[in-house]
Amino acid sequence: MEKVRVLIVGDDPVCSSQLLAILADDYHVTTVNYGNDVIAMSNLLRPNIIFLDVMMSEINGYEILKRFKHNLLTLDTPVIIITALTGMPDIKLAQQLGADGYLCKPITLRTAVEIMDKYQPWHPRR
């Protein structure tokens, strides 16, 4: 059986490395450090789930989220926001733009596993 494909998008090397270490044994994980490369990479990889940092230097994660949700190849792909922003306005904005989940940094093994369990390909969506 083919491993679930996970795309991690973010320019925070600590967060990306943390998630990679948590998921790499059980999933096919690819990281993209720069926001402008992410749409082309996602079209090529066809990930089953995307972890997306909000605060990046090249492009805002919310803008990338909008692009994912307007792209036919990623429209139905679960996108999980990863951020240090914990305010209700940020959470509501992510939901309005189509985010499927919202994780506050630092990411723990437990929260990553819960998300992956929730969004397995055979798991019924909402």
Side-chain angles (χ1 to χ4, degrees):
M1 184 171 164
E2 183 180 337
K3 284 187 175 183
V4 172
R5 295 174 309 280
V6 177
L7 179 61
I8 300 171
V9 181
D11 60 2
D12 176 350
V14 172
C15 183
S16 293
S17 296
Q18 251 182 338
L19 248 164
L20 182 61
I22 291 169
L23 300 174
D25 288 342
D26 299 315
Y27 304 97
H28 177 76
V29 181
T30 303
T31 59
V32 178
N33 296 328
Y34 299 104
N36 290 325
D37 299 336
V38 71
I39 299 301
M41 184 63 76
S42 66
N43 288 343
L44 178 68
L45 294 173
R46 303 291 305 267
N48 299 103
I49 189 166
I50 300 167
F51 289 90
L52 174 62
D53 196 354
V54 171
M55 296 181 292
M56 293 185 284
S57 58
E58 282 190 15
I59 187 169
N60 182 302
Y62 292 130
E63 181 59 36
I64 294 172
L65 177 59
K66 284 190 238 178
R67 293 179 189 183
F68 279 140
K69 295 304 177 178
H70 287 96
N71 180 344
L72 291 177
L73 296 177
T74 54
L75 175 67
D76 294 323
T77 304
V79 179
I80 310 304
I81 296 295
I82 303 172
T83 185
L85 302 172
T86 60
M88 193 52 91
D90 297 300
I91 295 169
K92 285 186 178 191
L93 177 58
Q95 290 171 338
Q96 289 169 348
L97 295 175
D100 296 277
Y102 198 92
L103 295 179
C104 295
K105 293 179 184 178
I107 304 303
T108 65
L109 173 62
R110 182 174 153 243
T111 57
V113 168
E114 285 173 357
I115 288 292
M116 294 308 294
D117 286 347
K118 182 176 181 180
Y119 291 103
Q120 289 296 317
W122 58 85
H123 191 285
R125 302 226 28 220
R126 292 186 258 310

